[in-house]
Amino acid sequence: QVQLVESGGGLVQAGGSLRLSCAASGRTFSSYAMGWFRQAPGNEREFVASISRSGAAKYYADSVKGRFTVSRDNAKNTVYLQMNNLKPEDTAVYYCATGSTYWARGASEYDYWGQGTQVTVSS
């Protein structure tokens, strides 16, 4: 079993930046692909980005491509999401999750989830 804890959310003005972190428990972190998802009120949970076990391969939703960067540090059991040029439509609760393949985009394809961290972007 893996436990995930997200942090780094907050309130930021449009055009600003935030860096989310997701710390994982256990010694098997490097055996998982990792994904970031977000969910705004009234919306379904949507894919944001994912990263392979080694960190060599990354995949982004079109809506964040060029603005968000996913990375990981397997020595620290942590995955990151650097978010730049934030827009009001990025407002959501952001979740990290473990997966078996980095190209998976559906929430049902991910297994363990964190509790989420709120990101609010004001206009």
Side-chain angles (χ1 to χ4, degrees):
Q1 183 139 359
V2 178
Q3 291 186 326
L4 304 172
V5 179
E6 301 96 336
S7 61
L11 174 64
V12 64
Q13 290 187 332
S17 298
L18 284 173
R19 188 196 196 201
L20 305 184
S21 299
C22 170
S25 65
R27 295 176 290 180
T28 60
F29 176 73
S30 61
S31 68
Y32 294 104
M34 296 297 297
W36 283 98
F37 287 76
R38 65 188 182 187
Q39 188 167 19
N43 290 355
E44 293 186 353
R45 193 167 295 190
E46 66 170 350
F47 172 82
V48 174
S50 59
I51 188 167
S52 62
R53 294 171 179 82
S54 68
K58 303 173 185 181
Y59 197 31
Y60 297 95
D62 288 343
S63 59
V64 306
K65 201 172 294 182
R67 300 188 297 122
F68 290 11
T69 302
V70 61
S71 62
R72 67 189 296 164
D73 185 338
N74 285 342
K76 294 182 178 180
N77 281 10
T78 303
V79 62
Y80 305 97
L81 185 67
Q82 177 67 44
M83 305 186 296
N84 297 330
N85 190 20
L86 282 160
K87 304 176 180 180
E89 52 264 41
D90 294 319
T91 295
V93 177
Y94 283 71
Y95 300 89
C96 64
T98 63
S100 55
T101 57
Y102 79 92
W103 56 83
R105 299 184 64 157
S108 62
E109 298 175 88
Y110 288 77
D111 304 309
Y112 298 104
W113 292 81
Q115 83 290 346
T117 186
Q118 176 71 46
V119 172
T120 303
V121 184
S122 63
S123 56

